[in-house]
Amino acid sequence: MTTSQLNRFPHLSPGDVRWVLVDLAPQVLPELGPRLGRAAVRVVRSRGMDIRLGTTVAEITHDGVLLSDGTRLATRTVLWTVGVTPPALVERLGLPVARGRLVVDEQLRLRDGVWAAGDTAAARDPYSDAGRDYPPTAQHAQRQGVTIARNIAADLGHGSPRPYRRRDLGLVADLGGAAAVARPLGLPLTGLTAKVVTKGYHLYALPAAANRLRVAADWAVNLVSRPIAAQLGLVDPTAARLTREQAAVSVTR
């Protein structure tokens, strides 16, 4: 996408654009397994991206970024995007936590009359071979909300409480262009087949037919024209700011 936009910036040349993927994990997309992770790396490297696995950011200065492998990247602009991180309030509650998330039982309950769900809750996945918690994804947060609503009703005398149990039906990752990797129902897919599955799943996950139609139309337009270089969002700038304490917690993790 960035290469297709270069002619809009006459003072930039292809040599001025450099992409470096830095990941502390030993492989990319570990949720999809080693095979699809290697397939994703091949796609990304074929586009000229520099991949540094087992590496993290050691220091950010006014004129560059120092990586843990000793590499220094010259830059005067740093955009820091924080991953899924529970609010700092969670660790100040004095309740049991796992990796910053509140430990809940199979009914998503902290204690009598108190429940937690989504990014804040560490709910054990009974179908996980390694005994891991459910990942902090939107699909689990939405379904956990339904379970909690039913359990609150049960606590008030309407119905019976239910445990939260959901099998992972698969994950998908769109790599741009005609590339994607997917694992629907445990079946590893790459290339165009994975692309169709990925796009289909994204459309299926959208609420309302009107939203699906708008997104599908946008994809169709992008097939015959290059994407818009910048799009304005509707998020209040103050809502996207981190307090100094939140930033410190994110960095230490």
Side-chain angles (χ1 to χ4, degrees), residues 48-244:
M49 183 178 288
D50 183 2
I51 299 179
R52 309 286 182 94
L53 299 178
T55 308
T56 187
V57 174
E59 182 182 8
I60 299 176
T61 64
H62 70 284
D63 61 352
V65 175
L66 179 64
L67 304 183
S68 58
D69 63 0
T71 303
R72 184 175 184 81
L73 306 177
T75 181
R76 294 185 179 276
T77 302
V78 175
L79 306 180
W80 181 269
T81 58
V82 181
V84 177
T85 305
L89 172 64
V90 169
E91 294 190 346
R92 296 202 298 267
L93 296 176
L95 297 172
V97 297
R99 300 184 66 183
R101 301 162 67 190
L102 294 168
V103 177
V104 296
D105 63 17
E106 63 175 6
Q107 296 177 11
L108 305 177
R109 183 174 51 196
L110 284 164
R111 56 179 61 172
D112 290 342
V114 183
W115 295 264
D119 300 346
T120 302
R124 187 70 63 187
D125 181 359
Y127 302 109
S128 171
D129 295 335
R132 293 190 295 264
D133 295 331
Y134 286 106
T137 59
Q139 59 177 317
H140 284 298
Q142 290 176 326
R143 292 166 178 169
Q144 287 173 0
V146 175
T147 298
I148 283 183
R150 288 173 173 166
N151 289 343
I152 291 175
D155 197 54
L156 297 174
H158 302 281
S160 302
R162 300 183 182 182
Y164 178 77
R165 291 177 180 171
R166 288 290 185 277
R167 283 189 180 273
D168 182 9
L169 298 180
L171 296 172
V172 297
D174 195 333
L175 301 177
V181 289
R183 196 188 62 192
L185 301 176
L187 179 64
L189 301 175
T190 59
L192 187 58
T193 304
K195 189 74 172 185
V196 172
V197 171
T198 300
K199 292 296 188 184
Y201 173 76
H202 285 164
L203 288 178
Y204 170 78
L206 289 175
N211 290 332
R212 297 187 186 105
L213 182 60
R214 291 188 186 97
V215 172
D218 191 37
W219 288 345
V221 171
N222 286 340
L223 290 176
V224 295
S225 66
R226 60 183 173 180
I228 300 173
Q231 297 185 19
L232 299 179
L234 301 177
V235 178
D236 185 343
T238 59
R241 294 175 182 168
L242 288 174
T243 64
R244 180 173 298 178

